[in-house]
Amino acid sequence: MEAWLNPYRLRSSAAMPPNLAENNLANTHPEWVCAVGDGLYLNPAEPAAADYVVQGVAELLQNYAVDGIHFDDYFYPTTDPAFDAADYAASGSTLTQDDWRRENVNALMELCHAAARRYGVRFGAAPAGDPEQNYTLQYSDAARWLRQGTVDYLMPQ
């Protein structure tokens, strides 16, 4: 049995869920959260948010008898450059914004894979079935993850 996670999504719409718990990260750490329409997402460029995801993976592995961690295909929720323009500018990166976004996702995937390895379990992801869509619309480089061993498997949707 694997734990199936959406690494960044806190709320998909105003109706899902209609109310946020008091301890939802949108309330406790709004500086980690970005909105896209009515959806709320952890900011992939925020190191503290990435650390929170990694710590959550470790907590699941420490406290539950799972065989692995599986990330759903929800990575960057938008291609809008304004979504993280300030973070990108502040980073001083020489990469394009698209490549910088991919590196944010790659870093999270690598950290979560390392956490899974510490507990001796599999780590995989379910990207969309179209590799180009993953790469250009969600900034997830699934081919790189396979080449570099960042994931143990992919299960395209």
Side-chain angles (χ1 to χ4, degrees):
M1 175 175 59
E2 295 190 357
W4 187 289
L5 308 170
N6 288 306
Y8 298 121
R9 186 174 59 189
L10 301 176
R11 178 183 194 163
S12 60
S13 70
M16 299 232 0
N19 298 303
L20 297 177
E22 188 176 304
N23 64 347
N24 186 290
L25 290 175
N27 296 322
T28 61
H29 288 285
E31 70 278 14
W32 298 357
V33 178
C34 293
V36 176
D38 289 332
L40 297 175
Y41 303 86
L42 289 178
N43 182 349
E46 175 56 53
D51 185 59
Y52 181 85
V53 172
V54 174
Q55 295 307 316
V57 166
E59 179 183 340
L60 284 168
L61 294 171
Q62 183 177 13
N63 295 312
Y64 299 93
V66 297
D67 300 316
I69 298 293
H70 183 88
F71 276 3
D72 205 350
D73 71 331
Y74 297 96
F75 293 101
Y76 266 83
T78 182
T79 58
D80 182 356
F83 174 76
D84 54 4
D87 294 309
Y88 174 61
S91 76
S93 178
T94 58
L95 298 172
T96 65
Q97 188 175 18
D98 288 357
D99 286 340
W100 174 80
R101 286 177 169 182
R102 280 183 209 95
E103 286 306 309
N104 290 333
V105 173
N106 290 337
L108 176 70
M109 295 297 284
E110 290 164 9
L111 289 169
C112 290
H113 182 258
R117 280 285 166 256
R118 283 193 299 276
Y119 288 90
V121 301
R122 294 181 303 251
F123 178 67
D130 180 346
E132 187 63 25
Q133 175 184 332
N134 295 323
Y135 192 80
T136 60
L137 301 181
Q138 293 188 327
Y139 308 98
S140 56
D141 192 347
R144 172 182 164 166
W145 303 340
L146 280 176
R147 277 193 318 274
Q148 295 184 347
T150 304
V151 295
D152 298 308
Y153 65 88
L154 292 175
M155 187 185 316
Q157 297 187 40

